[in-house]
Amino acid sequence: MHGDIYIKQMEKVFALVDCNSFYASCEKVFNPKLESKAVVVLSNNDGCIIARSEEAKTAGIKMGEPAFKIRDIIEKKNVQVFSANFALYGDMSQRVMNVLSKFTTDLEIYSIDEAFLDISGLKESELLLYGQQIRNTVLQWTGIPVTIGIAHTKTLAKVANHIAKKSGKCQGVLSLMDEKSIEKALESTPVDDVWGVGRQYNTFLRSNGIYNALALTKASDSWIKKHMHIVGLRTVEELRGQPCISFDMTVADKQAICTSRSFGTPMMDYADIEEAVSTFASRCAEKLRHQNSCAGVLTVFVMTNRFSKDPKYVNGKTVQLPVATNNTAEIISHSSALLKLLFKKGYKYKKAGVILTEFIPEGEVQQSLWDNLNRDKQNQLMSTVDKISSTMGRDVVKFAIQGTRRRWKLRQEKLSPCYTTKWQDLLNIDMDRV
DNA sequence: TCTGGGGTCCTAGGACCC
DNA sequence: TCTGGGGTCCTAGGACCC
């Protein structure tokens, strides 16, 4: 058929490269003592498990579990625990992506540890070998092990990746190209392992007798659309082999920027929270300047610990800024004005945050008649601050209101060195003992 | 003692317009 | 008593992702 030939020629092939236990693997790269040990990485404040090495998974540690609940497993199985070191992980991520970009420029960096490659045009028989080549190169050049799934749609590439992760047979690479193997793969994939099916849809689908990905592909379009909307229908079409999710190599500007933290210990003093909120505001402004935008709307929120029995208070306030800005001083002063309105004495605050939205490009800001700020001068100041921060380190210069006490700071008791981003943390090797 | 942080997209419903 | 038709814009909330 004419149509068939057309589709054959157009058919794309995607490879999803996904780092194995990424954060845990980063810790292992620079610390050979960790090899073959169970390693876990904790969220900020040393709260929950956010990464587990293969050995840690085998030990029965679950994703997202609070660390204090699994103290006994950690002790019994000699699990090596680390506080999240995002400076290290971010830098390692860049290295991995750099290696991938040597293979193709058609690269979509999807998250810190995942990228899609458009590898259309290769012969089907070459795909596995090519995947192995990518895998070996990334491992050799960065020390990070990856798994690769290959298919005609991104969602199927995800399925392939998932299976390759679990099955030793695949040696880290699986391609799902022919109908038979796709069907087998879908049947063995629990429906909640499908990319786009979360907790709610999982419950819903199961209560309707759909337990695996294959069954999901057999549901009717109208039923899917009714209950899972257009996004759900796209997922199902992708599982059927029909590409619906676009491949996008350009990094889109963010539409919202948020900086928020839980405090290491609960805070009751206004001054402490003001320090924290000012620091978050400053961080937001940095991120905003980084993408050359100005924000028109600013939100501040505070909350008490939702798990404790103490009185609870959750609140947020939003302002429309008179002139859209990315100036740290302005964003800090609006943030503390909002905090002043929000703050109520007597509560034990656990978390606060600053959110910026309604962005416009720096060059298109509407001036106000009553604006009495010298914006050119302020912009020069900001770019000087940014330059100092990027060469000499963050917070070398900062606003006084951000404070120095940092009583709100994170708990990070098991932080590893920043092996790749701080001179003083570089590894020393004693040649006499090698 | 101890439970993360930062995003995206879509939909329904209300307000408002002619 | 009856009570159109068609549209836009905005917001809150829900779902998902890593």
Side-chain angles (χ1 to χ4, degrees):
Chain A
M1 253 181 355
H2 182 79
D4 273 352
I5 294 165
Y6 182 68
I7 288 173
K8 266 262 145 45
Q9 287 174 341
M10 293 296 292
E11 252 177 337
K12 292 266 185 194
V13 179
F14 299 109
L16 170 62
V17 180
D18 189 314
C19 301
N20 301 348
S21 317
F22 183 54
Y23 301 161
S25 298
C26 289
E27 298 293 347
K28 285 195 178 196
V29 170
F30 295 95
N31 191 344
K33 282 183 197 150
L34 298 176
E35 206 181 329
S36 73
K37 288 213 177 109
V39 172
V40 297
V41 176
L42 305 179
S43 62
N44 277 338
N45 271 317
D46 296 346
C48 308
I49 306 288
I50 56 170
R52 309 158 296 159
S53 71
E54 234 12 83
E55 300 85 357
K57 287 174 197 169
T58 312
I61 295 174
K62 294 205 190 72
M63 191 69 177
E65 218 165 359
F68 72 89
K69 282 191 182 169
I70 53 163
R71 190 131 307 160
D72 50 323
I73 303 185
I74 288 174
E75 222 159 273
K76 225 178 279 166
K77 309 249 168 145
N78 188 25
V79 178
Q80 307 295 302
V81 181
F82 290 89
S83 304
N85 183 346
F86 289 109
L88 175 65
Y89 311 149
D91 189 66
M92 291 303 286
S93 170
Q94 268 187 31
R95 294 178 182 208
V96 171
M97 300 308 170
N98 259 331
V99 177
L100 296 180
S101 69
K102 306 274 188 242
F103 285 89
T104 171
T105 50
D106 294 337
L107 179 74
E108 179 185 358
I109 298 172
Y110 178 71
S111 76
I112 194 164
D113 72 332
E114 276 176 79
F116 288 100
L117 279 63
D118 184 339
I119 54 168
S120 314
L122 287 174
K123 282 194 206 134
E124 226 178 286
S125 55
E126 298 169 342
L127 291 175
L128 283 184
L129 196 65
Y130 192 65
Q132 285 298 347
Q133 215 180 321
I134 295 176
R135 194 167 174 264
N136 294 336
T137 312
V138 174
L139 184 63
Q140 193 183 350
W141 292 7
T142 69
I144 299 291
V146 300
T147 300
I148 302 177
I150 300 167
H152 283 307
T153 71
K154 287 169 140 189
T155 308
L156 283 174
K158 277 262 186 190
V159 170
N161 195 296
H162 235 97
I163 295 173
K165 276 242 161 80
K166 281 185 265 178
S167 144
K169 249 189 345 210
C170 300
Q171 300 189 331
V173 184
L174 175 63
S175 87
L176 289 178
M177 302 297 285
D178 64 287
E179 238 166 87
K180 247 203 178 135
S181 44
I182 293 174
E183 199 168 307
K184 238 179 81 188
L186 292 181
E187 197 171 9
S188 71
T189 300
V191 76
D192 56 311
D193 277 357
V194 172
W195 191 36
V197 176
R199 242 195 15 233
Q200 302 297 320
Y201 287 152
N202 179 41
T203 313
F204 169 76
L205 289 169
R206 278 173 193 276
S207 70
N208 281 276
I210 293 174
Y211 299 101
N212 63 49
L214 185 64
L216 185 58
T217 62
K218 298 199 166 142
S220 85
D221 287 8
S222 58
W223 187 79
I224 293 293
K225 189 158 183 202
K226 181 169 174 206
H227 298 285
M228 298 171 70
H229 314 287
I230 194 77
V231 183
L233 189 55
R234 280 206 279 260
T235 295
V236 174
E237 285 285 20
E238 285 242 326
L239 287 177
R240 293 174 181 152
Q242 205 55 244
C244 296
I245 300 173
S246 61
F247 182 84
D248 194 359
M249 284 145 48
T250 60
V251 180
D253 279 347
K254 295 186 193 335
Q255 299 171 33
I257 286 174
C258 170
T259 306
S260 72
R261 292 286 180 281
S262 298
F263 307 137
T265 49
M267 300 275 116
M268 298 194 74
D269 278 2
Y270 181 77
D272 288 329
I273 300 172
E274 189 180 51
E275 259 192 24
V277 166
S278 305
T279 304
F280 303 158
S282 164
R283 208 68 85 220
C284 279
E286 275 168 37
K287 294 180 193 170
L288 193 57
R289 289 198 293 276
H290 189 72
Q291 66 168 38
N292 303 313
S293 305
C294 286
V297 168
L298 185 157
T299 300
V300 175
F301 67 88
V302 294
M303 58 178 77
T304 50
N305 189 343
R306 65 200 157 112
F307 297 102
S308 89
K309 290 191 188 92
D310 295 324
K312 290 191 181 30
Y313 176 58
V314 179
N315 204 355
K317 282 208 185 299
T318 299
V319 278
Q320 180 90 42
L321 302 173
V323 178
T325 184
N326 59 18
N327 179 276
T328 302
E330 270 191 288
I331 290 174
I332 287 181
S333 83
H334 284 290
S335 300
S336 31
L338 288 183
L339 179 65
K340 218 162 264 162
L341 299 172
L342 280 172
F343 183 83
K344 283 206 230 166
K345 239 179 135 70
Y347 289 102
K348 291 183 186 165
Y349 293 92
K350 179 63 182 167
K351 182 176 178 176
V354 174
I355 306 169
L356 300 176
T357 47
E358 313 241 324
F359 298 160
I360 40 176
E362 243 166 6
E364 296 171 19
V365 174
Q366 282 282 335
Q367 303 296 325
S368 157
L369 266 177
W370 295 277
D371 194 10
N372 49 17
L373 202 66
N374 182 341
R375 287 187 187 271
D376 284 339
K377 210 169 157 189
Q378 283 293 326
N379 289 344
Q380 280 173 32
L381 176 62
M382 284 301 108
S383 50
T384 307
V385 170
D386 288 339
K387 213 171 282 167
I388 294 172
S389 301
S390 75
T391 52
M392 303 179 68
R394 184 187 266 169
D395 290 340
V396 168
V397 282
K398 60 181 179 184
F399 286 80
I401 196 172
Q402 290 176 244
T404 51
R405 288 176 300 167
R406 293 175 69 89
R407 290 176 55 190
W408 54 272
K409 69 178 184 301
L410 299 175
R411 191 170 35 242
Q412 292 183 308
E413 284 169 7
K414 321 260 179 163
L415 193 60
S416 55
C418 293
Y419 300 105
T420 62
T421 54
K422 276 193 191 160
W423 288 112
Q424 67 268 31
D425 285 2
L426 280 185
L427 279 183
N428 289 313
I429 296 174
D430 186 345
M431 291 309 287
D432 294 336
R433 299 179 54 192
V434 170

